[in-house]
Amino acid sequence: MAGSGTLSAFRLPPLPTIREIIKLFRLQAAKQLSQNFLLDLRLTDKIVRKAGNLTDAYVYEVGPGPGGITRSILNANVAELLVVEKDSRFIPGLQMLSDAAPGKLRIVHGDVLTFKIERAFPESLKRQWEDDPPNVHIIGNLPFNVSTPLIIKWLENVSCRDGPFIYGRTQMMLTFQKEVAERLTANTGSKQRSRLSVMAQYLCSVQHILTIPGQAFVPKPEVDVGVVHFTPLVRPRIEQPFKLVEKVVQNAFQFRRKFCYRGLGEELKQNKSKNQEKEDDKEKHRL
């Protein structure tokens, strides 16, 4: 495991470009996996810079693909980068990066939705929840088909302070379809306000950092891409269990705009009915 306190900034040696890596290993984006490659290293560098100061940081990258963002993270002088990649076709190209950065890059062939990160980084990195965020970051260009279930999973982890948040208020920099990014960051009263807005913002400070045009990706998606930064709050804005908040919010947004109260009404009716059943049961036992 790489140590901290390096004397000089690390830079990767000359390597084939991402486009050349794609040709070398005959990589093609899998449409069924919603894969889109970001080849412009100026853009990947910008994403990594916006994540904050990564000097001597421990970074968890999800879905590295051919390794564009991976290169930018390594060039940010991190202590260690852990990447989790489900698609085995990308492993040889990532291994090439690992060979060029000895002790810096750790590759896991696995699924980010099931990967356990709790013991991935040193115990010494853990911080109290009330302290500043730990020197641990999550960065990822997420496939569109997993972005929403993954952020919901991680928001539940924030609520429970487990998973990646066992280290403290771990910060995240993630890509989404622009529409999803706008929903995540939508203010109260906005047309884009949604279930995602409430679930994200009651637990985190959420910022739409930049928008990347679709033509920057290969293959070009039909939509632009939003880059969103998350910092967990010291205290959630709603101090209730995650599953309860999720259920209430889900019911509220089943009906759009002025009919929203119907969703809440249904939830209240269900709870009232359950409470009445409990009272009836108690009455039977008394008799």
Side-chain angles (χ1 to χ4, degrees), residues 29-37 141-146 177 219:
K31 188 174 182 181
Q32 68 272 25
L33 297 178
S34 303
Q35 292 175 339
N36 303 94
F37 306 147
N141 175 28
L142 304 178
F144 294 156
N145 65 339
V146 301
Q177 293 182 49

Side-chain angles (χ1 to χ4, degrees), residues 5-191:
T6 39
L7 294 176
S8 59
F10 172 83
R11 298 295 295 181
L12 285 167
L15 291 167
T17 66
I18 299 297
R19 198 176 292 276
E20 288 168 342
I21 290 288
I22 289 171
K23 287 181 180 178
L24 178 64
F25 294 104
R26 298 178 180 178
L27 301 173
Q28 286 187 331
K31 188 174 182 181
Q32 68 272 25
L33 297 178
S34 303
Q35 292 175 339
N36 303 94
F37 306 147
L38 188 55
L39 307 185
D40 188 339
L41 292 184
R42 292 170 300 181
L43 284 173
T44 60
D45 285 348
K46 187 172 185 179
I47 291 171
V48 171
R49 280 198 308 273
K50 295 287 187 180
N53 182 8
L54 299 185
T55 301
D56 291 334
Y58 288 75
V59 180
Y60 173 31
E61 185 189 0
V62 295
I69 293 178
T70 312
R71 295 186 185 209
S72 296
I73 295 171
L74 289 170
N75 280 330
N77 207 29
V78 297
E80 182 179 71
L81 170 58
L82 168 67
V83 299
V84 176
E85 177 53 65
K86 184 177 182 180
D87 193 333
S88 59
R89 298 174 304 151
F90 297 122
I91 302 299
L94 293 170
Q95 189 58 54
M96 183 183 291
L97 282 178
S98 181
D99 294 341
K104 291 271 187 181
L105 176 58
R106 191 151 45 109
I107 304 164
V108 173
H109 179 208
D111 188 342
V112 68
L113 287 169
T114 56
F115 178 70
K116 304 294 184 185
I117 193 178
E118 287 86 340
R119 297 183 182 178
F121 296 135
E123 289 277 322
S124 60
L125 292 170
K126 290 184 179 179
R127 296 288 178 269
Q128 293 296 316
W129 196 259
E130 296 75 18
D131 293 344
D132 289 339
N135 207 13
V136 176
H137 296 256
I138 300 173
I139 299 176
N141 175 28
L142 304 178
F144 294 156
N145 65 339
V146 301
S147 61
T148 299
L150 183 57
I151 194 57
I152 291 294
K153 176 180 183 293
W154 278 341
L155 288 170
E156 185 169 7
N157 289 146
V158 171
S159 177
C160 298
R161 302 182 185 182
D162 59 11
F165 308 96
I166 199 167
Y167 301 98
R169 294 187 298 120
T170 301
Q171 297 176 83
M172 301 184 285
M173 179 74 89
L174 305 169
T175 62
F176 300 88
Q177 293 182 49
K178 183 185 175 187
E179 182 183 353
V180 176
E182 289 173 345
R183 286 178 184 172
L184 283 163
T185 56
N187 294 322
T188 304
S190 164
K191 290 182 179 180

